[in-house]
Amino acid sequence: MNSGGRSMYTSSFIQNELINTFGHLIQSQIVRNVRKSIFYSVLADETTDISQIEQFPLCVRYVEDQKYKIREDFLTFVPVYDVTGAGLANTVLETLPILELDLKKMRGQGYDGAATMRGQFRGVQDSIKEKLPLALYTHCSSHSLNLCLSDATNIPSIRNCMGVIKEVCRFFHMSAKRTEILKSMIHYMPKSIRTLADFHIF
């Protein structure tokens, strides 16, 4: 409101400030939603970003108040330096209270199948379960699906089917005209088989 008419707000400093502000507002809203829920689960994994910094993304799974809809929302990236099971578990247990989430309401943990995460001795899930016995561990369903698909691609018929589906999607993606024709044809299909749009291939 007090800036001059030539202010463009395109400097990296201003852009990062705007991004951080929006991110904080979104995170605050997610935290408020989670706090309204009776229980929640934590989903996490460890990864290395392009700048070679170990990141620990934290997500929450909860039931949305009143709508009774299951939601999975991203909370934050936490830089980590201790990637052992105990170190990552401490990161979870220290970060959630900072975000004002009650640890006593945690009823689930979801990680991949790596020994550091799911290990019964010194794994993240084991370390957290020692302090929060009701936080049960579940192998991440998306990761399990990925493992199943990876194994299934060794079967020639399934591998060929996946290839055909990929080429069909690419065929429509490459042309806006073909995409519009497909959408119009789907509109006339019976509702029982009109599910292609649900896969977001457009």
Side-chain angles (χ1 to χ4, degrees), residues 161-180:
C161 176
M162 298 292 286
V164 170
I165 293 173
K166 184 177 179 180
E167 290 301 320
V168 169
C169 292
R170 183 180 299 167
F171 174 78
F172 288 104
H173 270 297
M174 297 299 291
S175 170
K177 186 176 181 179
R178 289 194 289 259
T179 300
E180 287 302 318

Side-chain angles (χ1 to χ4, degrees), residues 22-83:
F22 289 139
H24 178 71
L25 291 173
I26 293 170
Q27 184 186 79
S28 298
Q29 183 59 54
I30 292 172
V31 169
R32 281 195 294 271
N33 293 340
V34 176
R35 292 176 68 182
K36 291 178 183 177
S37 181
I38 300 175
F39 305 119
Y40 67 90
S41 295
V42 171
L43 308 173
D45 195 8
E46 181 273 325
T47 186
T48 304
D49 66 13
I50 194 171
S51 59
Q52 299 302 310
I53 297 176
E54 298 283 350
Q55 298 273 15
F56 198 57
L58 283 178
C59 301
V60 284
R61 181 180 172 93
Y62 62 98
V63 178
E64 192 172 12
D65 185 44
Q66 296 181 346
K67 295 182 180 178
Y68 300 105
K69 179 181 179 182
I70 297 176
R71 290 188 58 90
E72 288 183 6
D73 290 325
F74 168 77
L75 274 179
T76 185
F77 280 113
V78 184
V80 292
Y81 305 97
D82 182 359
V83 293

Side-chain angles (χ1 to χ4, degrees), residues 175-188:
S175 170
K177 186 176 181 179
R178 289 194 289 259
T179 300
E180 287 302 318
I181 293 173
L182 177 61
K183 286 182 178 180
S184 64
M185 295 305 296
I186 290 175
H187 180 72
Y188 292 107

